[in-house]
């Protein structure tokens, strides 16, 4: 069952969705923001977009506010872990982290 | 008795075709509101089958025909057989309702590709379909407009926004931590971004990544291109200088990491100067590494 983030009715009516699917591309844990056919994939480990062309300025401010810097962020991370237990947001070891290397070599 | 049929022709950059002139899209429906979602620019009123000649004359081999009703598809077939000569095909046909089984072979002979002819084919709802078809070429090929499940061969056949098709084995859809695919309850949702199988949902991205080598190649090319940017150069140079991310004076290690991952604009001014000073190169040389 996918995670479907709770958004204001007006945002949903306009075509905004925030989701985690049961089958996703093999990437670091992320939540996908949709506006109709467009999408932005946001890393749950770093809070930044996985695709370099994507910017918060392209996303409705109220959608951003409902995700980032709220208690819901933890809820979204927990939902990812539940759906994809083999690829948790906080891996057990640093070597499990794919592409989010804040550590020095 | 003459039959009056309205078809709407739409010109715009809405289809993945070579040019606007070649990308003529014909929406066959008398429902103006539905046709308007495509941005109608011209309406044809065809009286009798012979009246279609101007419509076919305006179409090209790259046209897309969208039929919202069964009778429109049958009428199109009869009109095409009467009016069209010396054409290899009429372009692509998208059927929002399946035709009579007997009509499928002639439609397949007249059109390059026929989408939605199978009775079990599930198409996106019209408003979402139009959005998907109006997307850019790159976006539309990464979306699904419909598909059908074959329990015998245990495959899911999906049609992309550019009308290409992918066949996906059931085995690719492994249960998640919370849901298992239900093949008896299939639909394409989310403007073509999502496949729903009961309570199980798959992203179009996830499916294409698994089954389409060209899709993976494009992603990898993009990644490589990103690695050519300022951030990648900074990272290579920093490692060559045996510097840690925490050794850039006023710039935090986290900021250095973000620059290296290309998550910030290219540094300028004081930040760029600090980077260059620590790395012992001229600011404009960083990107050459």
């Amino acid at each position: 069952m996918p995670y479907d983030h709770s958004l204001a009715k007006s945002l949903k009516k306009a075509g905004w969705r925030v989701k985690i699917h049961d089958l996703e591309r093999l990437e670091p844990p992320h939540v996908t923001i949709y506006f109709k056919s467009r999408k932005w994939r946001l890393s749950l480990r770093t809070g930044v977009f996985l695709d370099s062309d994507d910017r918060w300025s392209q996303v409705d401010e109220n959608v951003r506010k409902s995700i980032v810097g709220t208690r819901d962020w933890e809820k979204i991370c927990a939902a990812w872990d539940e759906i994809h237990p083999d690829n948790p947001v906080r891996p057990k070891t640093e070597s499990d982290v794919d592409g989010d290397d804040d550590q020095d070599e | 008795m003459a039959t009056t049929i309205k078809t709407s022709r739409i010109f715009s950059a809405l289809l993945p075709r070579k040019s606007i002139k070649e990308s003529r899209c014909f929406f066959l429906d008398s429902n103006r509101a539905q046709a308007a979602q495509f941005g109608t620019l011209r309406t044809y009123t065809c009286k009798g089958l012979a009246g279609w000649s101007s419509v076919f004359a305006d179409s090209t081999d790259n046209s897309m025909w969208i039929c919202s009703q069964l009778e429109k598809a049958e009428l199109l077939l009869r009109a095409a057989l009467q009016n069209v000569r010396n054409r290899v095909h009429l372009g692509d046909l998208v059927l929002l309702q399946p035709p009579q089984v007997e009509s499928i072979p002639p439609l397949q002979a007249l059109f390059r590709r026929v989408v939605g002819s199978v009775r079990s084919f599930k198409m996106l709802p019209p408003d979402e379909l139009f959005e998907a078809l109006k997307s850019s070429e790159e976006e539309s090929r990464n979306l699904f407009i419909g598909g059908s499940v074959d329990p015998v061969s245990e495959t899911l056949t999906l049609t992309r926004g550019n009308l290409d098709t992918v066949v996906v084995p059931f085995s690719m859809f492994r249960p998640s931590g919370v849901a298992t695919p239900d093949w008896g309850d299939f639909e394409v949702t989310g403007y073509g971004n999502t496949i729903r199988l009961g309570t199980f949902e798959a992203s179009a991205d996830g499916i294409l990544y698994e089954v389409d080598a060209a899709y993976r190649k494009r992603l990898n090319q993009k990644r490589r291109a990103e690695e050519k940017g300022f951030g990648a150069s900074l990272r290579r140079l920093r490692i060559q200088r045996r510097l840690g991310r925490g050794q850039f004076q006023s710039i935090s290690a986290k900021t250095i990491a973000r620059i290296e991952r290309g998550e910030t604009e290219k540094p300028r001014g004081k930040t760029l100067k600090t980077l260059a000073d620590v790395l012992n190169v001229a600011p404009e040389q960083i990107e050459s590494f």
Side-chain angles (χ1 to χ4, degrees):
Chain A
M1 188 179 291
Y3 173 77
D4 194 351
H5 188 61
S6 177
L7 291 174
K9 270 186 185 173
S10 58
L11 291 172
K12 284 207 163 187
K13 200 176 171 189
W16 291 97
R17 297 282 186 281
V18 175
K19 287 192 143 192
I20 297 170
H21 302 288
D22 296 289
L23 188 155
E24 297 269 8
R25 200 199 299 177
L26 298 173
E27 293 275 2
H30 62 277
V31 65
T32 309
I33 301 165
Y34 291 103
F35 178 66
K36 296 187 175 177
S37 59
R38 268 217 69 180
K39 61 181 176 293
W40 297 261
R41 298 177 312 131
L42 186 66
S43 169
L44 292 172
R45 287 183 181 147
T46 62
V48 299
F49 291 109
L50 290 175
D51 300 300
S52 59
D53 299 337
D54 292 345
R55 301 277 180 275
W56 276 117
S57 58
Q58 299 159 339
V59 177
D60 188 288
E61 177 65 6
N62 291 315
V63 174
R64 188 187 69 79
K65 280 181 184 168
S66 82
I67 305 169
V68 180
T70 66
R71 279 185 192 172
D72 283 354
W73 182 260
E74 287 305 315
K75 203 167 111 186
I76 295 168
C77 292
W80 173 277
D81 288 351
E82 193 181 4
I83 296 170
H84 302 286
D86 51 343
N87 183 23
V89 175
R90 290 178 191 84
K92 287 166 192 163
T93 62
E94 278 303 324
S95 60
D96 290 342
V97 179
D98 175 23
D100 289 345
D101 51 335
D102 271 327
Q103 303 299 306
D104 284 329
E105 289 75 8
Chain B
M1 192 175 73
T3 310
T4 302
I5 294 297
K6 286 177 182 170
T7 70
S8 302
R9 189 179 79 171
I10 302 97
F11 295 103
S12 71
L14 55 78
L15 296 171
R17 297 290 183 271
K18 287 176 188 169
S19 71
I20 292 173
K21 203 172 181 181
E22 287 176 303
S23 69
R24 293 174 183 177
C25 179
F26 296 84
F27 186 77
L28 279 68
D29 200 329
S30 46
N31 182 338
R32 281 173 171 273
Q34 198 163 43
Q37 293 182 73
F38 251 145
T40 305
L41 294 180
R42 182 174 173 183
T43 300
Y44 294 86
T45 301
C46 308
K47 292 187 177 173
L49 296 177
W52 283 68
S53 59
S54 60
V55 182
F56 290 116
D58 281 351
S59 71
T60 74
D61 291 353
N62 288 319
S63 289
M64 179 183 279
W65 304 78
I66 300 172
C67 286
S68 62
Q69 296 157 313
L70 175 59
E71 58 266 32
K72 296 290 190 295
E74 288 164 355
L75 186 75
L76 173 65
L77 177 56
R78 281 188 281 137
L81 290 170
Q82 181 164 322
N83 288 276
V84 179
R85 300 280 187 276
N86 304 321
R87 288 269 293 270
V88 176
H89 57 73
L90 292 168
D92 298 319
L93 174 64
V94 176
L95 300 165
L96 305 193
Q97 280 186 8
Q100 301 285 350
V101 175
E102 294 77 12
S103 299
I104 297 173
L107 286 172
Q108 286 175 332
L110 283 167
F111 293 91
R112 179 173 47 192
R113 289 175 292 191
V114 180
V115 176
S117 60
V118 179
R119 199 152 288 277
S120 62
F121 194 92
K122 299 274 183 72
M123 191 76 80
L124 272 174
D127 57 329
E128 297 190 17
L129 173 69
F130 298 154
E131 281 291 331
L133 292 175
K134 280 194 289 186
S135 305
S136 67
E137 182 175 357
E138 190 180 345
E139 283 177 345
S140 70
R141 72 183 169 196
N142 297 338
L143 300 168
F144 294 124
I145 61 166
S148 57
V149 171
D150 178 10
V152 178
S153 63
E154 297 194 339
T155 54
L156 172 63
T157 301
L158 295 164
T159 303
R160 297 159 86 154
N162 62 358
L163 305 192
D164 285 348
T165 299
V166 292
V167 181
V168 192
F170 284 6
S171 57
M172 208 197 83
F173 297 83
R174 291 176 291 274
S176 71
V178 293
T180 301
D182 175 358
W183 298 101
D185 185 15
F186 157 73
E187 67 174 345
V188 182
T189 61
Y191 293 86
N193 277 304
T194 312
I195 303 303
R196 188 182 65 75
L197 297 159
T199 58
F200 184 97
E201 262 193 17
S203 72
D205 260 355
I207 294 169
L208 289 171
Y209 192 85
E210 293 275 351
V211 299
D212 183 354
Y215 180 80
R216 283 196 302 276
K217 191 176 173 187
R218 282 196 298 276
L219 285 181
N220 289 333
Q221 278 172 345
K222 196 177 172 195
R223 277 186 193 142
R224 278 198 292 276
E226 286 166 8
E227 283 167 8
K228 285 178 189 160
F230 183 90
S233 296
L234 173 64
R235 182 186 166 93
R236 283 191 288 270
L237 182 54
R238 176 179 65 76
I239 292 167
Q240 193 167 320
R241 298 279 191 269
R242 299 177 187 277
L243 292 167
R245 289 190 182 121
Q247 292 176 263
F248 284 81
Q249 301 168 10
S250 56
I251 309 170
S252 73
K254 229 177 176 68
T255 301
I256 295 292
R258 292 190 67 216
I259 295 170
E260 289 184 352
R261 287 197 299 261
E263 292 166 8
T264 65
E265 297 292 325
K266 184 180 165 184
R268 292 175 297 176
K270 197 179 165 188
T271 306
L272 182 61
K273 189 175 181 313
T274 304
L275 291 172
D277 287 348
V278 175
L279 294 163
N280 197 27
V281 293
E284 64 275 11
Q285 283 183 345
I286 294 176
E287 245 174 315
S288 68
F289 283 83

